[in-house]
Amino acid sequence: MFLAYKDMWDMPIDPVDGLEKVKEDESAPKRVGHFVGNIVYAIIFIAFKIAFRYKVEGIENLRQFDGKRGAVVIGNHASYLDPAFLWIAARPKQWVRFMARDNMFANAGGLAGQVISRVGAFPIKRGSADRTAIKRASAMLKRGESVGIFPEGTRRDRGTAAPELHGGAAFIARMGKAPIVPSSIRNVDAIKRKGERMHFPKVTVVFGAPIYLEDFDFLPKEDRLDAVSWYAMRECYALRDNVNREEVDMKTLFPEARDFSTELAGKMLSRPIA
């Protein structure tokens, strides 16, 4: 059935809030059908398994929220393939609904908008505080869905601008009363480097222990969201490099961001599964 992709942005895609149990009830909220998403998943899964022999580690850190509450999945942004790898890593059991640049939805005469909306994506306007996208993401989290965000905003290999650490993910997590699950994709940057031909390295998707915003309440209120963003991105880069969090050089990665290494020294603010 054809759906306007603008309508799909506000529909649930995961079976949440007992939706499956009451799907015959006309009062139950409509959700985005899974047919197209399942086809896309099958194609990408097979292609990535063959080309990159990809595997997933730490998926239990995301699975623990399945059917219970929403979660914000964040990661460092090294490749245009990042969303695809994280999306298939969560499937088939869960869907991660990624924020995507608003201009992507009009590509191919709107066909791109149909496809990426049916796999759960929704738009965000670049370079501004997009209140509509923030409210939409918050609503998804409150009804138990997972939202995917890349706090760096753009890939690190694009342009000459200094990397930025945006606080939107932490703000959305606070609005949606959701934990943050850090992630990273090892070797994804080796697939296509600027000026080189395409390579086919072995790729590993890694999910880390969740981060709860209330664990940062020991900090002054005005510093908490920035501290959460800083800590969460440090977790992502620790996952990428498979090192202890203290070994991540955040000053080099984010030279313009406030450094919280002193305030957070020795603190384990990611909660492993009990």
Side-chain angles (χ1 to χ4, degrees):
M1 182 179 68
F2 177 82
L3 291 170
Y5 51 77
K6 293 182 180 180
D7 292 337
M8 288 187 275
W9 301 337
D10 293 309
M11 292 181 181
I13 195 168
D14 251 343
V16 291
D17 292 338
L19 188 58
E20 285 297 292
K21 296 179 182 179
V22 296
K23 60 184 178 182
E24 292 84 7
D25 184 350
E26 292 182 359
S27 65
K30 294 180 180 179
R31 67 174 171 88
V32 181
H34 289 181
F35 180 73
V36 173
N38 289 340
I39 292 176
V40 172
Y41 167 70
I43 293 171
I44 297 177
F45 176 83
I46 294 170
F48 281 14
K49 270 295 184 184
I50 294 173
F52 308 114
R53 300 157 334 266
Y54 98 97
K55 66 176 183 178
V56 182
E57 296 179 359
I59 188 62
E60 65 277 3
N61 289 305
L62 180 60
R63 290 283 187 259
Q64 65 178 304
F65 303 114
D66 182 35
K68 298 176 182 177
R69 65 184 302 185
V72 177
V73 179
I74 70 162
N76 58 294
H77 204 3
S79 167
Y80 62 92
L81 292 175
D82 289 335
F85 273 109
L86 287 174
W87 186 76
I88 63 168
R91 298 280 337 270
K93 196 171 185 181
Q94 291 166 281
W95 299 69
V96 178
R97 305 195 66 167
F98 280 96
M99 285 185 168
R101 295 194 312 273
D102 58 341
N103 59 0
M104 292 179 62
F105 291 81
N107 291 343
L111 178 60
Q114 272 290 320
V115 174
I116 62 178
S117 295
R118 284 185 178 274
V119 301
F122 63 102
I124 184 169
K125 295 177 182 178
R126 296 283 297 276
S128 65
D130 188 341
R131 294 183 179 180
T132 299
I134 291 171
K135 290 180 180 179
R136 188 169 277 137
S138 174
M140 292 173 181
L141 293 169
K142 288 177 180 178
R143 64 177 178 243
E145 297 187 280
S146 296
V147 174
I149 304 173
F150 296 102
E152 292 169 298
T154 189
R155 302 194 307 269
R156 278 190 167 257
D157 63 351
R158 296 190 65 182
T160 57
E164 294 184 61
L165 179 53
H166 299 284
F171 180 70
I172 289 169
R174 185 177 70 180
M175 284 190 64
K177 297 178 171 49
I180 295 174
V181 177
S183 70
S184 193
I185 307 163
R186 296 174 186 159
N187 281 342
V188 69
D189 56 329
I191 294 174
K192 182 66 175 72
R193 293 193 173 101
K194 195 172 183 179
E196 297 183 8
R197 64 179 178 83
M198 192 170 182
H199 300 279
F200 299 93
K202 188 174 182 179
V203 172
T204 302
V205 181
V206 190
F207 293 93
I211 300 162
Y212 296 83
L213 272 67
E214 58 266 29
D215 290 345
F216 291 77
D217 285 352
F218 65 92
L219 292 170
K221 189 174 182 179
E222 63 272 16
D223 293 339
R224 290 172 192 167
L225 291 183
D226 287 340
V228 170
S229 299
W230 187 91
Y231 183 91
M233 283 309 300
R234 187 176 65 166
E235 293 292 287
C236 292
Y237 278 99
L239 291 170
R240 184 196 69 172
D241 299 332
N242 197 21
V243 298
N244 292 327
R245 58 180 61 85
E246 290 78 11
E247 297 178 55
V248 177
D249 187 354
M250 290 292 283
K251 291 181 180 179
T252 298
L253 288 168
F254 302 101
E256 302 299 323
R258 176 179 169 181
D259 186 90
F260 284 90
S261 54
T262 300
E263 294 89 337
L264 302 180
K267 294 190 180 295
M268 172 81 170
L269 297 168
S270 303
R271 297 191 207 168
I273 297 175

